[in-house]
Amino acid sequence: METFTIKDIARELNLSTSTVSRALRGSYEINPETKRLVMECAERLNYRPNPIALSLKGSSSRAIGVIVPQIANYFFSQAINGIEAIAYNRGYHVIIFQSQESYEREMANVNQAMSRKVDGLLISLSSETSDVAHLRDVIDKNVPVVLFDRVSAELNVTQVVADNFGGAFAATEHLIQSGRRRIAHLTIQPWLSITQERLAGYRAALEKHGLEFDENLIRYGTFGPDEVGPMVDELMALDPTPDAFFTASDRLAVGCLKALHQRHLAIPEDVSLIGFTNLNVADLLSPSLSTVVQPAQEIGQVAAERLIDLIENKLRAKPVDTVKIPTELIVRHSTNLTEHAEHVGVARTL
């Protein structure tokens, strides 16, 4: 395949190479129409920047580090797809690390990324991480950091997340509007941001509809394959029993579905079940699973864009903030006696 360069784009559009270079970097000095023409031409010619050549122009490594709890998790694999797409188009390598839900391993990943002199760091915190001192050290060294999905309010950095509160509120309200009143909530470690935000959305929906929040209906877990069964047994031993389950992760949703089947509970006739997932086979489960879908790829794309903007120190780089991406409620058979799926957009929270 023929390799095209900035010079080819410049010749095609009758522009200077410096103008093309600035347009490809998204420089504020180049007007939007010129940027559009340059990007379209680059795409047509299948132009790709040479990270090695770019790195020789300065001290930049043209590499970003990405630390996720688990690549095998479908949400994180999709987020990585989004990150890599943006990084590749902007001339950066991506170095991926897995913390495997371990705080110790996460710290080791951060140290390894720094030893490789990455230009910036994208990280989603492990389920064990409550102390973020290791990330403060990175920030103190003026290395740009962007958090995504699992974040920390203790760090003054840009954070890109799903609208966890809005998604949990929509899921709980859907269960209430379908006639459920005793809604159990299975979630993960209580110190994680996503746990707190989804629990808050759940509570807010109960409050809106005049239902009492009952701590006995909440169970905190990890990611063990056999932990959901005992949780379901404990909850179904309550009097009165739950008539619905709202889970806050993919694995808890699948584990809960399996546990309910094993206990011969009909879904949704005996109990309804809804997840908060990015599971790509939710519609193939039996019954098909109602769920709040997290826009994983978009979260990865936005996080990568914001990090690279910080790395390149653009004059118009956006200030530190929290970007919340809307979620989508999809109603399927596990909460609805009809098979027809309904897609309900959840409004963006600013």
Side-chain angles (χ1 to χ4, degrees), residues 24-39:
L24 290 169
R25 295 199 308 269
S27 171
Y28 72 95
E29 300 172 304
I30 307 300
N31 69 63
E33 178 61 18
T34 301
K35 287 182 186 176
R36 184 186 66 80
L37 291 172
V38 169
M39 296 305 290

Side-chain angles (χ1 to χ4, degrees), residues 165-242:
F165 178 94
F169 183 95
T172 307
E173 184 169 65
H174 163 64
L175 291 170
I176 295 168
Q177 290 174 340
S178 67
R180 306 303 180 174
R181 292 294 179 269
R182 292 275 293 169
I183 302 169
H185 182 42
L186 306 186
T187 187
I188 51 181
Q189 284 79 351
W191 56 82
L192 290 175
S193 59
I194 56 175
T195 300
Q196 296 167 5
E197 292 163 4
R198 292 170 193 177
L199 182 60
Y202 163 84
R203 293 189 69 157
L206 294 177
E207 182 178 343
K208 175 184 174 181
H209 292 275
L211 297 178
E212 183 180 354
F213 173 75
D214 185 352
E215 188 72 46
N216 291 324
L217 290 174
I218 311 300
R219 291 293 183 278
Y220 299 94
T222 56
F223 298 94
D226 301 317
E227 71 173 338
V228 180
M231 288 184 188
V232 171
D233 287 337
E234 290 174 9
L235 289 163
M236 295 308 294
L238 296 175
D239 185 16
T241 60

Side-chain angles (χ1 to χ4, degrees), residues 148-163:
F148 69 100
D149 188 48
R150 303 184 195 172
V151 300
S152 172
E154 296 180 26
L155 297 173
N156 185 32
V157 297
T158 291
Q159 311 191 27
V160 183
V161 297
D163 182 6

Side-chain angles (χ1 to χ4, degrees), residues 161-164 166-167 292-296 298-299 323-329 345-349:
V161 297
D163 182 6
N164 293 299
V292 177
V293 176
Q294 304 169 76
E298 185 180 356
I299 288 172
V323 182
K324 292 189 179 180
I325 311 296
T327 53
E328 182 182 22
L329 172 64
V346 180
R348 182 185 299 268
T349 301

Side-chain angles (χ1 to χ4, degrees), residues 77-113:
S77 67
Q78 289 299 295
I80 289 169
N81 283 344
I83 291 166
E84 288 196 317
I86 295 300
Y88 183 70
N89 285 333
R90 293 185 63 170
Y92 285 79
H93 293 298
V94 175
I95 305 173
I96 300 169
F97 304 88
Q98 295 186 87
S99 67
Q100 297 289 7
E101 301 290 1
S102 163
Y103 171 64
E104 296 292 332
R105 192 156 175 173
E106 180 178 292
M107 288 195 298
N109 290 159
V110 169
N111 291 334
Q112 181 67 18

